[in-house]
Amino acid sequence: MIESADRSMIQHQQLLDLKNTIKKVYHQVPFYQEKFLEHHIAPHDIQTLEDIRKLPFTTKKDLRDQYPFGLFAVKQDELIRLHASSGTSGKPTVVGYTKQDIADWSSIVARAIETAGGRPGDILQNAYGYGLFTGGLGLHYGGEELGVVVIPISGGNTERQINLIEDLKPTIICSTPSYALNIGEKMRELGLDPRKSSLKIGIFGAEPWSEEMRSKLEELFDIRACDIYGLSEVVGPGVAIECYEAQNGLHIAEDHFFVEVINPETLEPVPEGEEGELVFTSLKKEALPIIRYRSGDIASITTEKCICGRTSARMSRIKGRIDDMLILRGVNVFPSEIEHHLIQIKEIVPHYQIYLHRISSLDEAHLHVEIKEEIYKEVSQNLEHPMIKTLQAEIYRKLKSNCLVSMKIIIHPPKHIPRSEGKAIRIVDQRLQKQNS
C-alpha cells in the first residue's frame, strides 16, 4: 500500500517514524546525544520533516571513529548479525542488525525484486558476493522472502556461473553490471548464445553504470536490466530500485528511509530534480539507526508519480561518487560519463581503466581500452597500424569534445584489461605509488 500512497500519507508516516528514531538515538546512542547537544537540538525540536535540517550530518569518518560498535543503539544480546566494509581506506565500517532489522531488510529487498519484475517461483542466480559485503545475503534473504528460488553461487567462478545458467535455467540474475558483462562474453567464447539463455531479468548494482551499459547488457542477454541501489551504512541493497515497467528512476523505500539531496560544498538542500549528494536517514532500524548519512553518491530526486503507478520518490541512477570524481586540469568528470561515450565506439569493448599519474607536478589521466577481436585480426595484431592510430584519435576527440578532458589513449589487444568478478576497478591511482617510492 505504501508504494502507491498519497505523498501526504507517506510524509505523515515518515514524520512519525522520524520522531521515534530521533528520540531513540538521543537516549540510546551517546555519540548522537553529544552531537545534538553541540547543535543545541533536542528531540522535541523535530516537529516537521523540514526540521531534519537542524540535525547534524553523519559521515563515514564518524562510523570509523566509533569503530566498532559506538553508533549501535542496542545491546549485544539483541544483535543477530554483523556486516563490515573492506576497510581498504582505513578502519572498516561495521553495521549490525537485530532480528527485526533482518526481517525488515528482507521485506524491502523482496519488494525490490518484485518491482524489477521478479515473481514467486522465479529462479534467481545470485552472483553478488556473500560474506561481510551486504550484497549477497541481502538479495538472498529478500529473494526467499518473495518466494523465488535462490541459487547462492556468489561472485566469481565464471564458468560455473555459466553451467548453472545452462542447467538450472534461472530467470533472474543479480550481480554487478561489469561482472554480468564478463559472464556474457565468456558464454560467447564457449560457443553459447547469451540471448538464448533462460534469463529474463538482470538486477545490477554496487557500482555506477551508464544507460549505454544497460543497453549493452540488454542486447547481450535479451533481458530487462534494472538498477538496484543500497549502501551498508543505511541497510544494504534494496534502498531503491528501478521498476520493470519504466526503468526511469529508482523507487526509494520511503517507509524505511528519508532522503535528502544537498550541495556537497555548501551542505544546503538543492531543488527537486537537481543533482547533488544523497543523504539518508533510517526510519525504522533498531541496531544502527543512522541520521543524515552523507552517502557520497551523486544523483537527483523526483516525487512525480511513475507510469507504473508507484508514488514513491525516485532517484536518478548514480552519476558517481564524490570520491571517484576526477579533476583534470580544472575539469570535473565522473568515470560513468566517460563510459557513456566509450560504449558508443563500436571498435572497442566496454572494459576500460583510467590510470592517474603525476607528471611534472600536474595530474594526467591515461585511458586504457581494448579493441574487439575482429578489429585485432583486421590489423594483423599490429597495434601500430594506421587504423589503430585513427581509432585513438577518434576516442581522444570524442572525450575532449563531450567531457572536456584530454586523456592519453592506450589501446590494448583483446582480453588485456582485467575482467571484474565483483566491483569493477575503473580508476588506478598511481600518483600515490610514485610518491611512496
Side-chain angles (χ1 to χ4, degrees), residues 155-176:
N157 205 337
T158 305
E159 290 199 18
R160 191 178 185 198
Q161 300 270 3
I162 294 168
N163 289 339
L164 292 181
I165 291 172
E166 290 294 296
D167 296 343
L168 302 186
K169 310 296 182 187
T171 46
I172 306 171
I173 188 165
C174 299
S175 73
T176 61

Side-chain angles (χ1 to χ4, degrees), residues 85-111:
S85 70
S86 61
T88 53
S89 56
K91 285 185 177 180
T93 56
V94 176
V95 293
Y97 303 81
T98 65
K99 188 174 183 178
Q100 185 60 50
D101 287 335
I102 294 295
D104 286 343
W105 186 17
S106 299
S107 175
I108 291 166
V109 178
R111 198 163 72 194

Side-chain angles (χ1 to χ4, degrees), residues 81 99-114 118-122 124 126 130 136-151 237 256:
R81 193 193 300 171
K99 188 174 183 178
Q100 185 60 50
D101 287 335
I102 294 295
D104 286 343
W105 186 17
S106 299
S107 175
I108 291 166
V109 178
R111 198 163 72 194
I113 296 170
E114 187 172 48
R119 296 293 182 269
D122 275 325
L124 182 153
N126 189 7
Y130 282 63
L137 285 171
L139 267 297
H140 182 110
Y141 274 66
E144 290 184 342
E145 176 71 17
L146 178 60
V148 304
V149 183
V150 179
I151 305 172
H256 289 271

Side-chain angles (χ1 to χ4, degrees), residues 67-81:
Y67 176 86
F69 307 130
L71 287 178
F72 283 24
V74 299
K75 295 178 180 178
Q76 186 171 323
D77 60 4
E78 296 179 66
L79 297 170
I80 66 167
R81 193 193 300 171

